[in-house]
Amino acid sequence: MIRRFLEHARRPVLDLDGLWDFAFLGDVAADAVDVGRVRFDDRIAVPGCFDASPRYAGCRGLAAYRRRVPLAPGRRHRLALSGVHHWCRVFADGSLLGEHVGGYTVFGVDIPPGPAAAADLVVLVDNRIDYNRCPLHLEYFDWYHYGGIARGAELHTLPDPWIESLRVATTDLAAREIEVTLRYGSEAGGAASLELAIQGRPVLRERLKLEAGGGSLTRRLRIEGAEPWSPRSPRLYALSVSLGDDDLVERVGVREVRVEGRDLLLNGEPLRLLGFNRHDAHPQFGCGLPEALLAADVQILQDLGANFVRGSHYPQDPRLLDLCDEAGLLVWSEAIGWQHTTAHLADPRFVDAQLLDIREMIDSAANHPSVILWGLLNESASHEPACRAGYQRLIGEIRRLDPTRPVTFASNHWRDDLMFDLADVISINTYPGWYVGELEALPSELDRVIERLERPDVSGKPAILSEIGAGAVPGWRDQNRTRWSEEYQAALLEAVIRHVFVDTERFMGLAIWQFCDGRTSQLAERVLRRPRAFNNKGVADEYRRPKLAYDVVRRMYRELAAQGCAAASAPRTGPGSRDARAGSPGGLV
Ligand code: ADA
């Protein structure tokens, strides 16, 4: 399933997770493949990544997935796919239905009404790096690009009319008022009933006249007595919408996020974000993580005392966002990107692919109350005047699609960034004590960043230290406490948290790089700086086994959370929590 709950009680939806017929075709062009003649000689799991399995480890090429599905003759069907990496072409009984560029997002491909009662769905999936065909996944990025149908698949039988999309936003927190915008499809239009219910209780009933070809409608309603959503009380309400014979269930968190001066306010309370950067990655699952692992990652983040996670560096799995909604974990969701250049920002193909990624990210993630920030273009050339038009275009699209959330981008050009005026929140990536300077100089290096944040162009905005950290090869303990040792990483992160949250107060948030280790690119110039061909800056290894730094960060984050910082999550100390075993955390200072 694409979400953690059933989105439809009436619309027929077939969950296509499970084993699909599979064939790895290798270095062939998709145009040269006759999908009706592919010899499917294997089976592979969806969700998942074929190149995370031993048999296809490290393979790059074209792969074919096949699944025979029942159809309702005469009805329109939609194949919903989540996270296909990272280019695909979709067929039904050999007829081309469509193709898609970019992994990490949810998209649909329609099967037009016809007489057939069943069909062979074939998805050609390609994990080769090809800028001309897919400019979003590039080899130099500092993470490994797996291939597959990574996050799930469903087959929807659409009634007429059908619900195309649903957007929910809090419009008046005090009045507990939400705005519901529904886009619908309809072949011929005509009369249809509309009903909205909250927690099963009808709150709106109307008889509508729908436009032929489809349209949209917006309604506002109050959830009387609703408890606002927050990290301490992540209260969700089921909103059921039915239109004609179709329906859709969404979960609503009534909450408001906005910038006020140097604060990021959640329901009027200033936030202090205690967080991590997290990649979707695991050695055995690639970027196609089972729900149980997503749930475990959220539990670990809570155990660490975190209330915030940056989904670096791409749109997040809807199942993870559902888990964050339930846990009260705050999320920075960003479009895919990594150190893009002026050439990329000047290339219409790149900008168009970015616009698609942004649109699909927001369509899929905008209803999640846990998502409090939109980001894009991680560490790209925001110090180059030639990139301004690109930044304006992409940030403008984010604001057009969702004016309710603040926008930011992680800059590694804090000295000479030219785009800070376009962001609501200033986010800085910097690695003193790792890439530059020694650990002893870290506080003074951060003070230079803070001085920059006092300059008039940014002094009135919230600031997040969106990346900082050090590598530690798992298990490497070193009496010399040198770089790559667990001791060095623990000492550096202690210095970071102390300087950011005890010695100074300019940053309202910190996202440590990173939650856990993850495989990176196999490019020689990358690997030579990445022991094991992994990014080793996790406070845990790739199997989520804690390093020395884990308990250091956990103690300090929990202490900060316990100091009652606004809206910080209450770390779960349920049975079996590490507190029960490790004793209460020592003092921060
Ligand atoms: C950058 C980048 C991260 C990662 C990190 C590192 O800040 O945004 O994705 O590559 O550096 O580990 O060096």
Side-chain angles (χ1 to χ4, degrees):
M1 276 173 54
I2 290 174
R3 301 287 298 272
R4 258 175 66 83
F5 59 90
L6 288 173
E7 293 178 281
H8 300 278
R10 297 163 62 186
R11 178 193 292 186
V13 176
L14 181 61
D15 181 1
L16 297 179
D17 289 358
L19 288 178
W20 287 46
D21 298 334
F22 181 79
F24 183 66
L25 307 176
D27 194 15
V28 298
D31 290 344
V33 174
D34 173 352
V35 294
R37 299 170 63 86
V38 169
R39 196 168 66 82
F40 290 89
D41 56 4
D42 205 341
R43 309 257 281 163
I44 207 100
V46 168
C49 293
F50 63 83
D51 51 352
S53 66
R55 181 170 297 156
Y56 305 103
C59 292
R60 289 210 179 278
L62 192 65
Y65 286 70
R66 181 181 66 188
R67 183 75 181 258
R68 184 149 187 82
V69 297
L71 298 175
R75 300 286 292 277
R76 171 184 296 272
H77 295 78
R78 177 162 297 164
L79 176 62
L81 293 168
S82 183
V84 183
H85 292 254
H86 37 266
W87 177 90
C88 70
R89 194 173 270 175
V90 184
F91 301 81
D93 281 349
S95 299
L96 176 61
L97 300 179
E99 59 188 57
H100 186 266
V101 168
Y104 303 114
T105 58
V106 179
F107 62 96
V109 178
D110 280 9
I111 306 170
D120 274 348
L121 297 181
V122 172
V123 184
L124 295 182
V125 177
D126 201 329
N127 70 348
R128 287 172 288 188
I129 306 292
D130 178 342
Y131 178 86
N132 294 318
R133 190 182 61 187
C134 176
L136 299 177
H137 295 251
L138 301 177
E139 186 70 52
Y140 72 87
F141 291 2
D142 190 8
W143 75 87
Y144 192 84
H145 297 276
Y146 288 96
I149 302 176
R151 293 177 174 173
E154 297 171 350
L155 183 69
H156 293 225
T157 302
L158 298 181
D160 188 346
W162 67 91
I163 297 171
E164 191 64 45
S165 72
L166 186 74
R167 175 71 65 83
V168 185
T170 301
T171 42
D172 183 336
L173 177 68
R176 306 296 191 257
E177 181 189 77
I178 60 173
E179 181 174 88
V180 178
T181 300
L182 180 149
R183 283 194 305 116
Y184 63 87
S186 171
E187 301 294 353
S193 59
L194 170 70
E195 180 178 290
L196 273 59
I198 296 286
Q199 298 289 95
R201 184 173 56 82
V203 294
L204 180 148
R205 276 199 184 98
E206 291 182 22
R207 192 76 184 143
L208 300 175
K209 181 164 175 18
L210 301 183
E211 300 163 43
S216 71
L217 55 96
T218 297
R219 298 290 184 274
R220 289 194 176 190
L221 58 97
R222 295 186 176 189
I223 306 181
E224 299 302 338
E227 199 181 326
W229 184 93
S230 73
R232 283 194 179 282
S233 175
R235 187 76 170 79
L236 296 169
Y237 295 89
L239 168 66
S240 306
V241 179
S242 65
L243 178 71
D245 293 333
D246 201 7
D247 74 327
L248 180 62
V249 176
E250 182 56 279
R251 299 190 311 189
V252 178
V254 181
R255 66 104 181 91
E256 173 198 73
V257 61
R258 61 187 172 85
V259 167
E260 187 174 274
R262 291 185 169 188
D263 284 325
L264 188 57
L265 301 181
L266 182 76
N267 303 335
E269 283 194 54
L271 285 171
R272 179 161 59 179
L273 301 177
L274 311 174
F276 288 86
N277 288 270
R278 177 187 171 276
H279 267 300
D280 251 6
H282 187 284
Q284 291 167 280
F285 302 104
C287 63
L289 306 187
E291 188 170 321
L293 186 67
L294 297 173
D297 280 0
V298 168
Q299 288 176 14
I300 294 168
L301 284 162
Q302 287 185 298
D303 181 66
L304 279 159
N307 66 353
F308 175 60
V309 59
R310 177 183 176 212
S312 51
H313 296 287
Y314 32 74
Q316 295 302 292
D317 190 321
R319 299 169 298 164
L320 181 76
L321 296 182
D322 282 336
L323 285 159
C324 291
D325 291 342
E326 294 162 17
L329 208 53
L330 301 165
V331 179
W332 159 338
S333 176
E334 66 184 18
I336 188 170
W338 202 87
Q339 298 189 359
H340 289 294
T341 64
T342 50
H344 292 149
L345 271 293
D347 181 350
R349 293 170 302 171
F350 174 80
V351 172
D352 286 347
Q354 283 286 326
L355 289 168
L356 174 66
D357 196 62
I358 286 168
R359 287 167 190 151
E360 291 179 338
M361 171 177 74
I362 294 177
D363 279 351
S364 170
N367 293 341
H368 290 276
S370 56
V371 177
I372 58 167
L373 276 168
W374 297 121
L376 74 164
L377 295 175
N378 173 62
E379 292 197 341
S380 296
S382 52
H383 60 310
E384 295 285 357
C387 288
R388 186 163 183 88
Y391 270 81
Q392 284 176 313
R393 177 86 191 282
L394 297 179
I395 291 175
E397 183 66 0
I398 292 176
R399 296 191 190 286
R400 181 184 74 84
L401 292 170
D402 179 13
T404 72
R405 286 177 174 87
V407 180
T408 189
F409 61 87
S411 169
N412 60 342
H413 304 289
W414 57 268
R415 293 175 185 80
D416 55 352
D417 200 296
L418 301 175
M419 314 300 168
F420 281 151
D421 62 306
L422 302 175
D424 301 305
V425 176
I426 306 300
S427 298
I428 306 287
N429 293 355
T430 182
Y431 287 84
W434 183 253
Y435 292 121
V436 284
E438 294 311 312
L439 179 47
E440 295 67 28
L442 182 142
S444 58
E445 277 297 303
L446 285 182
D447 286 343
R448 293 173 60 203
V449 178
I450 291 170
E451 284 159 20
R452 171 65 183 86
L453 292 170
E454 294 303 338
R455 293 222 306 250
D457 63 324
V458 293
S459 62
K461 294 185 176 180
I464 295 175
L465 186 50
S466 41
E467 284 187 39
I468 190 167
V473 173
W476 172 232
R477 301 293 174 88
D478 176 15
Q479 65 186 13
N480 291 21
R481 304 169 71 86
T482 54
R483 281 177 170 80
W484 296 119
S485 69
E486 291 195 15
E487 290 88 350
Y488 187 88
Q489 182 191 43
L492 183 137
L493 291 179
E494 175 156 26
V496 167
I497 298 172
R498 181 179 307 287
H499 202 65
V500 168
F501 290 123
V502 179
D503 304 341
T504 67
E505 56 181 20
R506 181 61 179 97
F507 290 108
M508 50 73 60
L510 166 65
I512 288 169
W513 187 272
Q514 63 180 347
F515 170 69
C516 73
D517 295 350
R519 183 180 291 279
T520 187
S521 156
Q522 298 189 163
L523 284 176
E525 64 264 27
R526 172 78 60 214
V527 172
L528 290 172
R529 291 162 61 91
R530 294 280 184 275
R532 315 185 296 149
F534 272 64
N535 189 315
N536 297 281
K537 299 188 185 72
V539 298
D541 73 9
E542 57 275 18
Y543 293 96
R544 281 74 174 161
R545 294 174 298 203
K547 300 176 188 175
L548 274 182
Y550 182 103
D551 281 342
V552 168
V553 174
R554 180 178 184 275
R555 171 175 58 79
M556 299 177 87
Y557 270 9
R558 283 171 164 263
E559 188 75 17
L560 288 164
Q563 284 169 5
C565 70
S569 63
R572 297 298 161 89
T573 53
S577 83
R578 295 168 60 85
D579 255 354
R581 299 191 295 274
S584 62
L588 191 60
V589 289

